Amino acid sequence: MGTVDELCSFVGVAHAQLLQSIKIQKQKQQKQQQKQQKQQQKGAAAAVVHKRTPTTIIDYGDLSDQLLDIMSRLFDVGSHVAKPPPDTNYEFQPNGIGDGFDPEHVDDLEEWINEMTEELPELTSFILPTGSIIAAQLHVARTVCRRAERKLVPLVVDHKICDPNSLQYLNRLSDFFFVASRWINYIEQQDEIEYRLELEYSENSEQRVPVYRSPLLLDDNDDDDDSDGGK
C-alpha cells in the first residue's frame, strides 16, 4: 500500500505543477494586457510601435480533472490492499472502496490514452524522460506505477486477496503517464530528446564516433566469446 500511496503523491505533485503552470501563464497574460493598456493611453501611435502578440494560455484539456480522478482511484486500490477479503473465494463486486474495483475506470484510461495519442506524432525511437517539468514528473509517476504493479501481482495472482481489475488499472495507468508526458511536451512545444548512441574513440580516428550499445542486443564479439566458452 505504501507504494500506491507514494504514486498518488507523485501524481499530486504533477497536478500541482500543472496548476502552477496555468497560473504563471495567466499572470504573464495579465501583465501584458496591462502594459498594452498603458501604451494605448499614451497614444495610438505608441501602441502600434510596441504592439506584441498576445500571450496565449496553453490548453491542457481535461488533464487536471483526469489526474484528480486517478488519485481517487489510487485510494480505491490502496483500500483493497489494506483491507483484503475474508477468504480467497471472495467474489469482488465493483462498488469502489472496500469492495471490488470498477472495470469502467480501466476503460476511462483507455479512452484518455487514445484521445492524446491521436494528436501525437508517431514514436519512432526510444525517448528520454525529459521535456517540461510536468512531463518529467509524469515519467516519475510512470516508473513508480510500474513498481506498484509488480508488488500487486502476487496479491492478485498468488494470494487472490486483491481485485484483478485494480492490477489491470495500474498496468494501463503506467501507459497513460507515458502518453500524457509526451502529450504535455507536444502541446508545450518541447522537443522529445531521443536515446543517443554512445560515443567512443574508433581505432582509425581520433574523433569520437557513435557506437550502438544496446543492452537488448549482443554484438558479434559477445556471441563468439559465448560460443568459445561453451566448447
Side-chain angles (χ1 to χ4, degrees):
M1 181 177 177
T3 306
V4 175
D5 188 32
E6 179 185 1
L7 171 59
C8 188
S9 298
F10 277 120
V11 178
V13 173
H15 181 263
Q17 291 168 336
L18 179 65
L19 297 184
Q20 181 68 11
S21 176
I22 296 174
K23 180 180 179 181
I24 292 175
Q25 292 178 64
K26 288 183 177 180
Q27 289 175 342
K28 288 182 178 180
Q29 186 183 62
Q30 185 178 13
K31 288 181 179 179
Q32 185 176 359
Q33 291 173 347
Q34 292 174 348
K35 188 174 183 179
Q36 289 177 348
Q37 289 176 356
K38 290 181 180 179
Q39 291 174 346
Q40 291 174 356
Q41 292 174 356
K42 293 179 180 179
V48 172
V49 173
H50 297 89
K51 186 176 181 181
R52 295 182 179 179
T53 303
T55 301
T56 57
I57 298 177
I58 297 175
D59 183 8
Y60 292 101
D62 297 326
L63 184 58
S64 175
D65 291 336
Q66 291 169 355
L67 293 179
L68 290 175
D69 184 80
I70 287 170
M71 284 187 277
S72 294
R73 301 292 71 77
L74 290 175
F75 268 63
D76 294 344
V77 174
S79 72
H80 299 155
V81 178
K83 189 178 180 181
D87 58 74
T88 56
N89 295 323
Y90 182 81
E91 184 176 351
F92 290 99
Q93 300 296 328
N95 298 325
I97 291 181
D99 210 334
F101 192 91
D102 196 331
E104 290 186 0
H105 299 314
V106 181
D107 296 335
D108 289 338
L109 288 180
E110 294 284 3
E111 181 180 348
W112 300 342
I113 291 172
N114 292 336
E115 289 175 352
M116 289 185 290
T117 302
E118 289 179 357
E119 300 183 34
L120 293 173
E122 182 181 0
L123 187 63
T124 59
S125 175
F126 293 112
I127 58 173
L128 303 181
T130 57
S132 73
I133 186 65
I134 305 173
Q137 183 62 48
L138 288 173
H139 274 295
V140 174
R142 173 182 60 83
T143 59
V144 178
C145 185
R146 296 301 298 271
R147 173 154 49 91
E149 179 187 359
R150 291 193 298 270
K151 289 192 174 185
L152 201 62
V153 168
L155 300 181
V156 173
V157 178
D158 299 331
H159 304 291
K160 295 180 173 52
I161 59 174
C162 197
D163 191 340
N165 288 324
S166 62
L167 179 61
Q168 186 179 4
Y169 183 82
L170 291 182
N171 178 269
R172 302 308 297 140
L173 183 58
S174 61
D175 288 340
F176 169 85
F177 288 139
F178 178 77
V179 175
S181 65
R182 291 195 65 213
W183 184 75
I184 285 289
N185 282 334
Y186 178 74
I187 64 174
E188 291 188 354
Q189 298 182 347
Q190 298 279 347
D191 291 333
E192 288 186 328
I193 302 178
E194 296 182 349
Y195 161 80
R196 293 181 179 180
L197 304 179
E198 183 179 352
L199 297 181
E200 290 185 354
Y201 287 102
S202 64
E203 296 180 358
N204 301 324
S205 174
E206 294 182 355
Q207 295 181 347
R208 301 186 75 187
V209 295
V211 179
Y212 189 70
R213 295 296 183 189
S214 172
L216 303 179
L217 299 174
L218 292 175
D219 57 29
D220 294 336
N221 293 332
D222 290 337
D223 290 339
D224 293 338
D225 292 341
D226 291 341
S227 59
D228 291 339
K231 291 182 180 179

